[in-house]
Amino acid sequence: MMDLQGQFLIAMPHLNDYFYRTVVFVCEHNEQGSMGVVINQPTDLSIAELYSKLNFMMKNDRTFDDTMVVAGGPVHTERGFIIHKKTANDFQHSYPITDELSLTTSADVVDTFGSIQAPEKYLVALGCASWAAGQLEEEIADNAWLVVPSDEKILFDTPYEDRYLAAGQLLGIQPHNFAMAQVGHS
């Protein structure tokens, strides 16, 4: 079985469904299936607005930048999935993805946002993508996805609109090379 946990999936140009031009960060991959978060589809909800809504618009001394919540996938769109750098504090529902990154699904991580207790870097997603056992491997074999080791700079710092091309460049793919409808078929 391939080890896809902690990898990026780059949607091939011929995918014209929900995953058109997406980059997915794979958070879990095992015999039961796979789960990941789309990292390059921002919503119109900022993290500051999310924090305010969850804290009932209470006044606070938190400082936020203009980072947006992303649409993490078509499944569980009402739930939050936070990918973040490991922290000294544990959160209620955190799961290791790599040695450096964790996935947290509990609201206690949101309570730290804008404060010094917040993770050093984090990405907030509503929803996720999931695959049944063997489904993702089949899609990769059918040339729906390219797989590349993830990069924290792309995951946390690259502007959303540049993440698709930046992830492709990890494989040496230049933007003009993605013009083909079916790369990988000869």
Side-chain angles (χ1 to χ4, degrees), residues 84-91 94 100 102 104 109 112 117-121:
H84 59 87
K85 299 276 285 176
K86 286 211 173 166
T87 60
N89 306 336
D90 288 330
F91 299 108
S94 284
E100 298 296 320
S102 295
T104 297
V109 69
T112 69
Q117 287 82 30
E120 176 189 346
K121 300 272 187 175

Side-chain angles (χ1 to χ4, degrees), residues 20 67 89 113 133 146 158 181 186:
Y20 177 72
T67 303
N89 306 336
F113 291 174
L146 294 174
T158 301
S186 52

Side-chain angles (χ1 to χ4, degrees), residues 58-125:
M58 295 177 68
K59 291 221 178 247
N60 62 61
D61 57 352
R62 305 286 173 110
T63 310
F64 296 93
D65 58 19
D66 59 355
T67 303
M68 304 303 283
V69 173
V70 297
V75 180
H76 302 300
T77 56
E78 72 291 347
R79 291 189 54 205
F81 299 86
I82 296 89
I83 299 167
H84 59 87
K85 299 276 285 176
K86 286 211 173 166
T87 60
N89 306 336
D90 288 330
F91 299 108
Q92 277 184 334
H93 299 287
S94 284
Y95 311 92
I97 301 170
T98 67
D99 290 341
E100 298 296 320
L101 299 172
S102 295
L103 172 70
T104 297
T105 58
S106 52
D108 55 343
V109 69
V110 178
D111 289 338
T112 69
F113 291 174
S115 75
I116 59 170
Q117 287 82 30
E120 176 189 346
K121 300 272 187 175
Y122 56 89
L123 177 132
V124 178

